[in-house]
Amino acid sequence: MATLLYNIGQLLTMDQYDGQVRGKDMNNLPVYENYAVLIEDGKISKVGPSSQLENEPADEKVDCEGRLVTPGIVEPHTHLVFGGSREHEMALKQQGVPYLDILKQGGGILSTVRATRETSEQDLYKKAMFHLDRMASYGITTVEAKSGYGMDRETELKQLRVANQVGKDHPLEVVSTFLGAHAITEDYKDNPEGLLDEMAAMFPQIKEEGLAEFVDIFTEKGVFTVEQSRRYLNKAKECGFDVKLHADEIEPLGGTQLAVELGARSGDHLAVATDEGIEQLANSDTIGVLLPGTIFYLGKGDFARARDMIEAGATVAISTDFNPGSSVTENIQLIMSLAALKMRMTPEEIWYAVTTNAAHAINRGDVAGKIKEGRQADIVIWDAPNYKYIPYHYGVNHVNTVFKAGKKLYTRGGLHV
Ligand code: NIG
Ligand code: FE
Protein backbone atom coordinates (compact mmCIF):
# COMPACT_ATOMS: atom_id res chain seq x y z
CA MET A 1 0.00 0.00 0.00
CA ALA A 2 1.47 3.38 -1.04
CA THR A 3 0.09 6.83 -0.22
CA LEU A 4 1.46 10.04 -1.66
CA LEU A 5 0.93 13.35 0.13
CA TYR A 6 1.67 16.06 -2.41
CA ASN A 7 1.23 19.78 -2.79
CA ILE A 8 2.30 20.32 0.83
CA GLY A 9 2.50 24.08 1.49
CA GLN A 10 4.92 23.77 4.40
CA LEU A 11 6.53 20.55 5.55
CA LEU A 12 8.26 20.31 8.94
CA THR A 13 10.45 17.21 9.04
CA MET A 14 12.03 18.15 12.41
CA ASP A 15 15.09 16.31 11.14
CA GLN A 16 17.78 18.97 11.48
CA TYR A 17 19.52 17.31 14.45
CA ASP A 18 20.19 13.72 15.45
CA GLY A 19 19.44 13.77 19.18
CA GLN A 20 17.35 15.92 21.48
CA VAL A 21 17.36 19.58 20.46
CA ARG A 22 18.58 22.05 23.06
CA GLY A 23 18.87 25.77 23.70
CA LYS A 24 19.28 28.02 20.68
CA ASP A 25 19.11 25.06 18.30
CA MET A 26 15.39 24.93 19.05
CA ASN A 27 15.05 28.00 16.84
CA ASN A 28 16.70 26.44 13.84
CA LEU A 29 13.70 24.94 12.08
CA PRO A 30 13.95 24.21 8.37
CA VAL A 31 10.67 24.60 6.50
CA TYR A 32 10.23 22.81 3.16
CA GLU A 33 7.78 24.42 0.75
CA ASN A 34 5.88 22.67 -2.05
CA TYR A 35 6.98 19.26 -0.85
CA ALA A 36 5.64 15.72 -1.00
CA VAL A 37 5.94 12.63 1.18
CA LEU A 38 5.56 9.06 -0.06
CA ILE A 39 4.39 6.44 2.43
CA GLU A 40 4.89 2.75 1.65
CA ASP A 41 3.78 -0.10 3.89
CA GLY A 42 3.36 2.18 6.89
CA LYS A 43 6.77 3.80 6.52
CA ILE A 44 8.04 7.02 5.02
CA SER A 45 9.86 6.03 1.84
CA LYS A 46 10.52 9.34 0.09
CA VAL A 47 10.54 13.02 1.02
CA GLY A 48 11.18 15.58 -1.70
CA PRO A 49 9.88 18.48 -3.77
CA SER A 50 6.31 17.91 -4.91
CA SER A 51 7.33 18.47 -8.55
CA GLN A 52 9.70 15.49 -8.33
CA LEU A 53 7.43 13.07 -6.46
CA GLU A 54 4.02 13.86 -7.95
CA ASN A 55 4.29 11.09 -10.53
CA GLU A 56 5.39 8.36 -8.12
CA PRO A 57 3.01 5.41 -8.36
CA ALA A 58 0.68 5.27 -5.33
CA ASP A 59 -2.61 3.59 -4.41
CA GLU A 60 -3.83 6.87 -2.97
CA LYS A 61 -2.77 10.41 -3.79
CA VAL A 62 -3.70 13.09 -1.28
CA ASP A 63 -3.66 16.67 -2.55
CA CYS A 64 -2.67 18.68 0.53
CA GLU A 65 -3.75 21.89 -1.23
CA GLY A 66 -0.94 23.97 0.28
CA ARG A 67 -1.56 22.85 3.85
CA LEU A 68 0.96 22.45 6.67
CA VAL A 69 2.23 18.89 7.26
CA THR A 70 4.19 17.85 10.36
CA PRO A 71 5.18 14.71 12.26
CA GLY A 72 2.50 13.29 14.56
CA ILE A 73 2.59 14.99 17.94
CA VAL A 74 4.21 13.16 20.83
CA GLU A 75 2.54 13.63 24.22
CA PRO A 76 5.14 12.87 26.93
CA HIS A 77 3.12 13.29 30.16
CA THR A 78 -0.45 12.15 30.77
CA HIS A 79 -2.43 10.49 33.53
CA LEU A 80 -4.47 8.58 30.97
CA VAL A 81 -6.07 5.86 33.08
CA PHE A 82 -8.38 6.93 35.89
CA GLY A 83 -11.88 6.46 37.23
CA GLY A 84 -14.48 9.20 37.72
CA SER A 85 -14.02 12.94 37.34
CA ARG A 86 -13.73 15.94 39.65
CA GLU A 87 -16.06 18.65 38.40
CA HIS A 88 -17.34 18.98 41.99
CA GLU A 89 -13.96 20.51 42.93
CA MET A 90 -14.47 23.45 40.59
CA ALA A 91 -16.47 25.36 43.24
CA LEU A 92 -13.70 24.84 45.83
CA LYS A 93 -11.18 26.17 43.35
CA GLN A 94 -13.38 29.19 42.71
CA GLN A 95 -13.47 29.85 46.46
CA GLY A 96 -9.69 29.96 46.34
CA VAL A 97 -8.96 26.67 48.13
CA PRO A 98 -5.42 25.74 47.00
CA TYR A 99 -4.79 22.48 45.13
CA LEU A 100 -2.60 21.07 47.91
CA ASP A 101 -5.25 21.93 50.55
CA ILE A 102 -7.92 20.03 48.62
CA LEU A 103 -5.50 17.09 48.59
CA LYS A 104 -4.82 17.45 52.33
CA GLN A 105 -8.57 17.25 52.96
CA GLY A 106 -8.69 13.89 51.19
CA GLY A 107 -9.89 15.30 47.86
CA GLY A 108 -7.92 15.95 44.69
CA ILE A 109 -5.71 13.03 43.68
CA LEU A 110 -7.13 10.99 46.60
CA SER A 111 -10.68 11.42 45.32
CA THR A 112 -9.59 9.97 41.97
CA VAL A 113 -7.80 7.16 43.83
CA ARG A 114 -11.12 6.16 45.43
CA ALA A 115 -12.92 6.33 42.09
CA THR A 116 -10.22 4.33 40.33
CA ARG A 117 -10.27 1.62 42.97
CA GLU A 118 -14.04 1.30 42.47
CA THR A 119 -13.92 1.21 38.67
CA SER A 120 -13.62 -2.15 36.92
CA GLU A 121 -10.69 -2.89 34.65
CA GLN A 122 -13.07 -3.06 31.73
CA ASP A 123 -14.57 0.36 32.43
CA LEU A 124 -11.12 1.91 32.90
CA TYR A 125 -10.16 0.39 29.56
CA LYS A 126 -13.21 1.90 27.78
CA LYS A 127 -12.57 5.31 29.28
CA ALA A 128 -8.86 5.27 28.37
CA MET A 129 -9.72 4.24 24.79
CA PHE A 130 -12.13 7.18 24.59
CA HIS A 131 -9.43 9.64 25.72
CA LEU A 132 -6.93 8.13 23.27
CA ASP A 133 -9.43 8.65 20.44
CA ARG A 134 -9.74 12.26 21.41
CA MET A 135 -5.96 12.70 21.63
CA ALA A 136 -5.64 11.22 18.15
CA SER A 137 -8.18 13.73 16.88
CA TYR A 138 -5.88 16.54 18.07
CA GLY A 139 -2.91 15.16 16.13
CA ILE A 140 -1.24 13.07 18.84
CA THR A 141 0.25 9.77 17.65
CA THR A 142 2.34 8.64 20.66
CA VAL A 143 1.33 9.03 24.33
CA GLU A 144 2.94 8.47 27.71
CA ALA A 145 0.52 7.19 30.38
CA LYS A 146 1.10 7.21 34.13
CA SER A 147 -0.51 5.10 36.81
CA GLY A 148 -0.81 6.63 40.28
CA TYR A 149 -4.52 6.53 41.03
CA GLY A 150 -4.38 3.10 42.65
CA MET A 151 -1.73 3.52 45.28
CA ASP A 152 -2.26 -0.02 46.42
CA ARG A 153 -0.74 -3.02 44.73
CA GLU A 154 -3.90 -4.33 43.17
CA THR A 155 -5.17 -1.06 41.71
CA GLU A 156 -1.77 0.11 40.47
CA LEU A 157 -1.39 -3.19 38.62
CA LYS A 158 -4.92 -2.80 37.25
CA GLN A 159 -4.06 0.66 35.89
CA LEU A 160 -0.77 -0.51 34.39
CA ARG A 161 -2.48 -3.47 32.71
CA VAL A 162 -5.07 -1.12 31.22
CA ALA A 163 -2.35 1.25 29.92
CA ASN A 164 -0.59 -1.68 28.27
CA GLN A 165 -3.78 -3.18 26.85
CA VAL A 166 -5.00 0.07 25.29
CA GLY A 167 -1.51 0.48 23.85
CA LYS A 168 -1.94 -2.89 22.14
CA ASP A 169 -5.49 -2.32 20.95
CA HIS A 170 -5.45 1.36 20.00
CA PRO A 171 -3.48 2.57 16.98
CA LEU A 172 -1.68 5.15 19.16
CA GLU A 173 1.51 3.94 20.83
CA VAL A 174 1.29 4.11 24.63
CA VAL A 175 4.44 4.34 26.78
CA SER A 176 3.72 3.30 30.35
CA THR A 177 5.04 4.92 33.54
CA PHE A 178 4.59 3.67 37.11
CA LEU A 179 3.58 6.58 39.37
CA GLY A 180 2.72 4.57 42.50
CA ALA A 181 4.25 7.44 44.55
CA HIS A 182 1.64 10.03 43.62
CA ALA A 183 0.13 11.05 46.99
CA ILE A 184 -0.04 9.83 50.57
CA THR A 185 -3.10 7.73 51.24
CA GLU A 186 -5.03 7.74 54.54
CA ASP A 187 -3.46 4.42 55.64
CA TYR A 188 0.02 5.86 55.33
CA LYS A 189 -0.65 9.36 56.65
CA ASP A 190 1.95 9.00 59.37
CA ASN A 191 4.19 6.63 57.46
CA PRO A 192 4.93 7.83 53.91
CA GLU A 193 8.07 5.68 53.90
CA GLY A 194 5.83 2.63 54.33
CA LEU A 195 3.90 3.60 51.22
CA LEU A 196 7.12 4.07 49.25
CA ASP A 197 8.32 0.65 50.46
CA GLU A 198 5.07 -0.95 49.32
CA MET A 199 5.35 0.70 45.90
CA ALA A 200 9.07 -0.11 45.55
CA ALA A 201 8.30 -3.74 46.36
CA MET A 202 6.34 -3.79 43.08
CA PHE A 203 9.33 -2.81 40.92
CA PRO A 204 10.58 -6.34 40.20
CA GLN A 205 7.16 -7.58 39.09
CA ILE A 206 6.49 -4.49 36.96
CA LYS A 207 9.88 -4.93 35.32
CA GLU A 208 9.46 -8.64 34.78
CA GLU A 209 6.01 -8.31 33.24
CA GLY A 210 7.08 -5.29 31.17
CA LEU A 211 4.24 -3.19 32.61
CA ALA A 212 6.15 0.11 32.70
CA GLU A 213 9.30 1.67 31.27
CA PHE A 214 9.60 4.60 33.67
CA VAL A 215 9.12 5.23 37.38
CA ASP A 216 7.86 8.68 38.42
CA ILE A 217 7.20 10.37 41.79
CA PHE A 218 5.40 13.53 42.98
CA THR A 219 8.14 15.44 44.80
CA GLU A 220 6.17 18.20 46.51
CA LYS A 221 5.51 19.86 49.85
CA GLY A 222 3.11 17.66 51.79
CA VAL A 223 3.70 14.75 49.41
CA PHE A 224 7.21 13.25 49.04
CA THR A 225 10.39 15.02 50.09
CA VAL A 226 13.54 15.30 48.00
CA GLU A 227 15.25 12.81 50.30
CA GLN A 228 12.42 10.25 50.00
CA SER A 229 12.28 10.76 46.25
CA ARG A 230 16.02 10.23 45.88
CA ARG A 231 15.92 6.95 47.78
CA TYR A 232 12.84 5.67 45.93
CA LEU A 233 14.07 6.56 42.46
CA ASN A 234 17.51 5.11 43.15
CA LYS A 235 15.79 1.82 43.93
CA ALA A 236 13.88 2.13 40.66
CA LYS A 237 17.12 2.68 38.78
CA GLU A 238 18.65 -0.38 40.45
CA CYS A 239 15.73 -2.37 39.10
CA GLY A 240 16.50 -1.12 35.58
CA PHE A 241 13.92 1.68 35.18
CA ASP A 242 14.50 5.11 33.71
CA VAL A 243 13.11 7.75 36.01
CA LYS A 244 11.05 10.94 35.85
CA LEU A 245 9.88 13.38 38.50
CA HIS A 246 6.92 15.69 39.05
CA ALA A 247 9.28 18.39 40.28
CA ASP A 248 9.00 22.00 41.47
CA GLU A 249 5.35 22.21 40.45
CA ILE A 250 4.01 24.25 43.36
CA GLU A 251 6.78 24.72 45.95
CA PRO A 252 10.45 25.02 44.96
CA LEU A 253 11.83 22.03 46.87
CA GLY A 254 14.77 21.39 44.54
CA GLY A 255 13.15 18.67 42.47
CA THR A 256 14.77 20.06 39.33
CA GLN A 257 18.24 19.58 40.84
CA LEU A 258 17.27 16.09 41.97
CA ALA A 259 16.13 15.19 38.45
CA VAL A 260 19.53 16.26 37.12
CA GLU A 261 21.43 14.50 39.93
CA LEU A 262 19.63 11.23 39.18
CA GLY A 263 20.08 11.55 35.42
CA ALA A 264 16.30 11.46 35.05
CA ARG A 265 15.04 11.29 31.47
CA SER A 266 12.81 14.23 32.31
CA GLY A 267 11.92 16.64 35.09
CA ASP A 268 8.28 17.60 34.64
CA HIS A 269 6.44 20.85 35.57
CA LEU A 270 9.49 22.86 36.82
CA ALA A 271 7.12 25.82 37.21
CA VAL A 272 8.96 27.19 40.24
CA ALA A 273 12.46 25.91 39.43
CA THR A 274 15.15 28.17 40.89
CA ASP A 275 18.06 29.80 39.04
CA GLU A 276 20.27 27.00 40.34
CA GLY A 277 17.84 24.34 39.11
CA ILE A 278 17.66 25.94 35.67
CA GLU A 279 21.43 26.17 35.39
CA GLN A 280 21.85 22.52 36.32
CA LEU A 281 19.11 21.47 33.91
CA ALA A 282 20.81 23.39 31.09
CA ASN A 283 24.05 21.51 31.74
CA SER A 284 22.41 18.09 31.68
CA ASP A 285 20.59 15.78 29.29
CA THR A 286 17.48 15.74 31.50
CA ILE A 287 14.59 17.15 29.49
CA GLY A 288 12.34 19.80 31.03
CA VAL A 289 8.75 18.77 30.27
CA LEU A 290 6.78 21.96 30.84
CA LEU A 291 3.03 21.87 31.49
CA PRO A 292 1.55 25.35 31.12
CA GLY A 293 -2.02 23.98 30.97
CA THR A 294 -1.66 22.91 34.60
CA ILE A 295 -0.57 26.34 35.79
CA PHE A 296 -3.43 27.90 33.84
CA TYR A 297 -5.96 25.42 35.21
CA LEU A 298 -4.71 25.75 38.80
CA GLY A 299 -5.15 29.52 38.43
CA LYS A 300 -1.54 30.25 39.25
CA GLY A 301 0.85 32.81 37.81
CA ASP A 302 4.06 30.79 37.97
CA PHE A 303 4.50 29.57 34.42
CA ALA A 304 7.77 27.70 33.97
CA ARG A 305 10.61 29.97 32.86
CA ALA A 306 10.95 28.42 29.43
CA ARG A 307 12.87 31.43 28.06
CA ASP A 308 15.51 31.22 30.78
CA MET A 309 15.76 27.44 30.36
CA ILE A 310 16.16 27.60 26.58
CA GLU A 311 18.54 30.54 26.68
CA ALA A 312 20.68 28.67 29.22
CA GLY A 313 20.84 25.69 26.81
CA ALA A 314 18.26 23.24 28.23
CA THR A 315 16.16 20.80 26.21
CA VAL A 316 12.48 21.61 26.59
CA ALA A 317 9.33 19.64 25.73
CA ILE A 318 5.69 20.55 26.44
CA SER A 319 2.64 18.46 27.25
CA THR A 320 -1.00 18.63 28.33
CA ASP A 321 -0.47 16.77 31.66
CA PHE A 322 -3.94 15.41 30.84
CA ASN A 323 -5.50 14.34 34.18
CA PRO A 324 -8.84 14.74 36.00
CA GLY A 325 -7.63 17.38 38.48
CA SER A 326 -4.97 19.86 37.51
CA SER A 327 -5.24 19.86 33.70
CA VAL A 328 -8.40 18.45 32.21
CA THR A 329 -7.74 18.60 28.49
CA GLU A 330 -6.47 16.41 25.67
CA ASN A 331 -6.00 19.49 23.48
CA ILE A 332 -2.24 19.76 22.92
CA GLN A 333 -2.85 22.60 20.44
CA LEU A 334 -4.26 24.72 23.27
CA ILE A 335 -1.08 23.96 25.25
CA MET A 336 0.97 25.15 22.27
CA SER A 337 -0.87 28.48 22.47
CA LEU A 338 -0.26 28.73 26.22
CA ALA A 339 3.43 27.97 25.64
CA ALA A 340 3.54 30.91 23.23
CA LEU A 341 1.45 33.33 25.26
CA LYS A 342 2.44 32.45 28.83
CA MET A 343 5.99 31.12 28.46
CA ARG A 344 6.96 33.23 25.44
CA MET A 345 8.23 30.26 23.50
CA THR A 346 8.71 30.86 19.78
CA PRO A 347 6.71 28.80 17.26
CA GLU A 348 9.93 27.03 16.25
CA GLU A 349 10.69 26.06 19.87
CA ILE A 350 7.09 24.92 20.35
CA TRP A 351 7.26 22.55 17.37
CA TYR A 352 10.47 20.94 18.64
CA ALA A 353 8.85 20.74 22.08
CA VAL A 354 5.87 18.68 20.85
CA THR A 355 7.75 16.42 18.45
CA THR A 356 11.45 15.51 18.69
CA ASN A 357 12.04 16.63 22.27
CA ALA A 358 8.80 15.10 23.53
CA ALA A 359 9.82 11.83 21.85
CA HIS A 360 13.22 11.89 23.55
CA ALA A 361 11.52 12.56 26.90
CA ILE A 362 9.90 9.12 26.64
CA ASN A 363 12.80 7.31 24.92
CA ARG A 364 11.12 7.33 21.51
CA GLY A 365 13.55 9.74 19.86
CA ASP A 366 14.56 7.11 17.34
CA VAL A 367 11.06 6.24 16.17
CA ALA A 368 8.75 9.22 16.70
CA GLY A 369 8.75 12.98 16.26
CA LYS A 370 10.28 13.24 12.77
CA ILE A 371 9.38 12.82 9.13
CA LYS A 372 12.34 10.86 7.85
CA GLU A 373 12.85 8.16 5.26
CA GLY A 374 12.63 4.72 6.84
CA ARG A 375 10.61 5.85 9.87
CA GLN A 376 7.07 4.91 10.74
CA ALA A 377 4.69 7.29 8.96
CA ASP A 378 3.13 9.25 11.86
CA ILE A 379 2.02 12.38 10.07
CA VAL A 380 -0.53 15.18 10.49
CA ILE A 381 -2.05 17.32 7.75
CA TRP A 382 -3.28 20.58 9.29
CA ASP A 383 -5.97 23.01 8.18
CA ALA A 384 -3.38 25.76 8.39
CA PRO A 385 -1.19 27.51 5.85
CA ASN A 386 1.96 27.57 8.03
CA TYR A 387 3.43 26.29 11.29
CA LYS A 388 3.10 29.62 13.13
CA TYR A 389 -0.66 29.47 12.65
CA ILE A 390 -1.31 26.63 15.14
CA PRO A 391 -0.29 28.39 18.40
CA TYR A 392 -1.77 31.64 17.04
CA HIS A 393 -5.36 30.52 16.42
CA TYR A 394 -6.10 29.14 19.86
CA GLY A 395 -8.55 26.81 21.53
CA VAL A 396 -9.79 24.96 18.45
CA ASN A 397 -8.75 21.84 16.60
CA HIS A 398 -6.78 22.48 13.41
CA VAL A 399 -6.29 18.85 12.41
CA ASN A 400 -7.32 17.86 8.92
CA THR A 401 -5.97 14.28 8.77
CA VAL A 402 -3.87 12.09 11.07
CA PHE A 403 -1.84 9.13 9.79
CA LYS A 404 -0.53 6.57 12.26
CA ALA A 405 1.98 4.12 10.81
CA GLY A 406 0.75 5.13 7.35
CA LYS A 407 -2.92 4.47 8.05
CA LYS A 408 -5.51 7.21 8.08
CA LEU A 409 -6.57 7.38 11.70
CA TYR A 410 -8.62 10.57 11.87
CA THR A 411 -10.13 12.92 9.32
CA ARG A 412 -11.96 16.13 10.14
CA GLY A 413 -15.67 15.50 9.84
CA GLY A 414 -17.97 17.69 7.81
CA LEU A 415 -21.04 19.58 8.95
CA HIS A 416 -24.39 17.95 8.20
CA VAL A 417 -25.93 20.80 6.24
O1 NIG B 1 0.80 16.39 37.16
N1 NIG B 1 0.89 16.88 40.49
C1 NIG B 1 0.57 15.73 40.53
N2 NIG B 1 -0.07 15.03 39.61
C2 NIG B 1 -0.87 15.57 38.56
C3 NIG B 1 -2.22 15.95 39.03
C4 NIG B 1 -3.06 14.79 39.29
C5 NIG B 1 -4.45 15.12 39.79
O2 NIG B 1 -4.72 16.20 40.29
O3 NIG B 1 -5.26 14.19 39.68
C6 NIG B 1 -0.14 16.70 37.88
O4 NIG B 1 -0.47 17.87 38.03
FE1 FE C 1 1.32 15.03 35.91
Side-chain angles (χ1 to χ4, degrees), residues 79-316:
H79 303 253
L80 174 72
V81 183
F82 58 87
S85 56
R86 310 222 293 268
E87 55 274 37
H88 54 276
E89 283 175 9
M90 194 68 136
L92 289 174
K93 285 176 63 169
Q94 286 167 332
Q95 288 157 26
V97 185
Y99 178 75
L100 290 177
D101 287 5
I102 298 177
L103 178 62
K104 221 188 275 167
Q105 291 160 22
I109 296 172
L110 292 173
S111 133
T112 301
V113 168
R114 285 189 293 278
T116 305
R117 287 178 179 176
E118 283 163 14
T119 306
S120 70
E121 193 159 330
Q122 203 185 3
D123 287 348
L124 287 177
Y125 171 91
K126 275 196 219 148
K127 199 160 143 61
M129 289 294 269
F130 175 81
H131 293 305
L132 283 176
D133 285 349
R134 189 174 277 154
M135 286 176 188
S137 77
Y138 282 107
I140 293 168
T141 49
T142 303
V143 186
E144 186 256 16
K146 301 175 193 298
S147 69
Y149 293 120
M151 311 210 57
D152 60 29
R153 190 183 173 84
E154 189 191 333
T155 320
E156 283 296 316
L157 287 174
K158 176 170 78 173
Q159 266 193 289
L160 290 173
R161 279 196 303 268
V162 169
N164 281 270
Q165 197 56 47
V166 293
K168 286 192 185 106
D169 297 348
H170 198 283
L172 295 201
E173 178 174 4
V174 176
V175 176
S176 171
T177 293
F178 177 53
L179 178 58
H182 194 193
I184 298 170
T185 49
E186 183 62 25
D187 314 350
Y188 285 106
K189 217 169 57 200
D190 303 314
N191 178 24
E193 306 280 351
L195 176 64
L196 291 180
D197 288 345
E198 184 183 337
M199 293 300 128
M202 293 173 64
F203 292 162
Q205 182 185 355
I206 293 171
K207 189 78 203 168
E208 210 176 286
E209 296 182 16
L211 287 172
E213 293 181 36
F214 293 94
V215 170
D216 194 345
I217 188 167
F218 189 15
T219 306
E220 187 56 74
K221 188 172 166 209
V223 193
F224 299 106
T225 66
V226 165
E227 207 24 69
Q228 289 164 340
S229 305
R230 179 184 288 115
R231 225 172 310 132
Y232 180 76
L233 293 179
N234 270 324
K235 280 190 205 162
K237 283 169 63 177
E238 279 161 28
C239 290
F241 291 100
D242 275 346
V243 299
K244 292 175 168 289
L245 286 85
H246 279 68
D248 292 336
E249 175 181 356
I250 296 161
E251 296 287 338
L253 295 191
T256 310
Q257 291 92 313
L258 180 64
V260 172
E261 175 195 319
L262 293 171
R265 191 72 289 261
S266 68
D268 299 38
H269 287 289
L270 315 188
V272 290
T274 58
D275 290 347
E276 190 198 334
I278 291 175
E279 196 194 318
Q280 290 189 18
L281 183 77
N283 289 307
S284 77
D285 287 335
T286 298
I287 297 177
V289 175
L290 311 183
L291 310 164
T294 310
I295 302 304
F296 164 73
Y297 201 77
L298 293 179
K300 287 162 46 70
D302 307 314
F303 288 87
R305 290 157 57 194
R307 284 260 56 78
D308 291 341
M309 292 178 194
I310 292 171
E311 274 150 32
T315 305
V316 166

Side-chain angles (χ1 to χ4, degrees), residues 1-5 37-45 59-62 70 72 141 171-172 367 370-371 374-381 401-411:
M1 169 76 185
T3 307
L4 179 74
L5 312 184
V37 175
L38 182 65
I39 303 168
E40 282 179 290
D41 301 325
K43 294 207 165 131
I44 295 156
S45 62
D59 303 285
E60 189 185 9
K61 293 197 176 188
V62 180
T70 72
T141 49
L172 295 201
V367 292
K370 283 186 181 186
I371 293 181
R375 282 204 182 198
Q376 180 167 288
D378 294 356
I379 295 176
V380 181
I381 304 175
T401 309
V402 179
F403 293 88
K404 176 67 188 177
K407 286 210 182 91
K408 233 181 239 175
L409 174 60
Y410 172 83
T411 315

